[in-house]
Amino acid sequence: MSIADLKQITELFHGRVLTEPVSIQEKLFKAKAYVFDWDGVFNNGAKNENGSSPFSEVDSMGINMLRFNHYLRKHQNPVTAIITGEQNNTAYMFAKREHFHAVYYGIKNKKDALMHLCSAHNIEPHDVVYFFDDVLDLSIAEICGLRMMIGNSASPLLRQLAQERKLADYITAADANHNALREAMELLMGYSGRFDDAILQRVHYSDNYNEYINARNIPEPSFFTHIASKITEQTPQ
């Protein structure tokens, strides 16, 4: 994909591109894992009486297509995980339905969770694409490879800090209420050079997609939390 092609794709998006598109593309091509915060990323952070917050199927489709895009480029599925500072039954259900590899919940120092995930899957922090929005996420943003920040008009100073400290490569124009995750997914798929290919293969349920989805659906998520200052595997009740 030429620099002109990358520029043309970039012009379709209205978020802040803080890193040269060719560098974002290079980081994407090196990625082995996609890691997500939950509150403020899949939703606006509002909780119901049970402490859960929802997700959008529009964003879910975007995640699935990015994973398939990765499979087409690397012939293997990426590691996927949620790292959240809270407990959230909807996040657990989503990770099970989408066959993520891990959920870290109740983790206040998220860097600890990332390092645990990397050790478990024999990857490095620079192999990780991270989707995040808020203060507790910045410890991961400092060390991971590619940082996709969800835009929020209520926190302009935080976005400015992320930009000045080089803690984000892209900040979405949309917020979490308006499918910011899907925006981030489509940007990365566009930069991969295989957006149309991935979409059309999914439309026609190609042999490649069938192989991908069968392999994707094998993992069942492991659940981890902090117990006595140690990350411990524990299925939430």
Side-chain angles (χ1 to χ4, degrees):
M1 174 176 280
S2 69
I3 292 176
D5 291 333
L6 288 172
K7 181 179 179 182
Q8 186 176 31
I9 289 167
T10 302
E11 289 173 349
L12 295 174
F13 292 82
H14 302 292
R16 297 189 198 176
V17 180
L18 304 178
T19 300
E20 288 295 324
V22 68
S23 295
I24 294 177
Q25 183 189 58
E26 290 171 355
K27 292 178 179 183
L28 176 65
F29 287 168
K30 294 176 182 177
K32 298 178 182 177
Y34 301 94
V35 177
F36 303 84
D37 177 34
W38 185 263
D39 289 315
V41 173
F42 285 85
N43 52 71
N44 68 1
K47 300 292 185 69
N48 65 19
E49 64 276 13
N50 298 315
S52 288
S53 48
F55 67 92
S56 165
E57 293 290 2
V58 174
D59 293 335
S60 176
M61 176 61 78
I63 293 170
N64 184 53
M65 293 312 302
L66 182 64
R67 293 166 80 181
F68 179 46
N69 179 282
H70 182 102
Y71 182 86
L72 288 175
R73 291 183 284 107
K74 298 201 172 189
H75 307 293
Q76 61 183 17
N77 278 308
V79 174
T80 48
I82 294 167
I83 298 177
T84 176
E86 302 297 332
Q87 296 199 37
N88 194 304
N89 287 330
T90 305
Y92 311 150
M93 179 277 293
F94 181 85
K96 291 176 182 178
R97 192 192 81 171
E98 298 299 310
H99 295 272
F100 277 28
H101 292 82
V103 176
Y104 293 81
Y105 64 96
I107 306 291
K108 302 308 180 184
N109 186 351
K110 292 189 175 184
K111 180 180 176 181
D112 291 346
L114 181 70
M115 298 310 295
H116 187 278
L117 177 74
C118 288
S119 177
H121 293 277
N122 195 30
I123 59 177
E124 299 293 335
H126 58 73
D127 298 323
V128 172
V129 182
Y130 188 44
F131 301 85
F132 72 100
D133 75 303
D134 215 339
V135 175
L136 294 184
D137 306 313
L138 298 183
S139 64
I140 292 181
E142 286 180 332
I143 61 173
C144 70
L146 180 55
R147 297 75 51 85
M148 307 296 284
M149 186 176 190
I150 303 304
N152 184 343
S153 61
S155 54
L157 289 177
L158 184 65
R159 285 182 283 128
Q160 179 177 297
L161 182 148
Q163 179 172 346
E164 291 176 348
R165 299 295 179 94
K166 300 186 185 304
L167 299 176
D169 298 290
Y170 180 75
I171 303 177
T172 63
D175 60 28
N177 270 343
H178 297 90
N179 304 116
L181 261 183
R182 183 61 174 266
E183 176 187 333
M185 303 297 147
E186 294 221 353
L187 179 75
L188 293 178
M189 287 179 64
Y191 281 178
S192 79
R194 300 197 65 167
F195 180 88
D196 291 4
D197 183 25
I199 296 297
L200 293 175
Q201 289 206 46
R202 173 60 185 90
V203 168
H204 298 292
Y205 215 94
S206 69
D207 290 343
N208 281 330
Y209 186 78
N210 189 52
E211 291 171 2
Y212 151 75
I213 201 69
N214 286 335
R216 194 210 75 166
N217 288 347
I218 292 173
E220 296 296 335
S222 300
F223 294 87
F224 301 91
T225 191
H226 259 142
I227 299 177
S229 301
K230 181 180 179 181
I231 292 182
T232 304
E233 186 168 1
Q234 179 170 286
T235 302
Q237 302 299 314

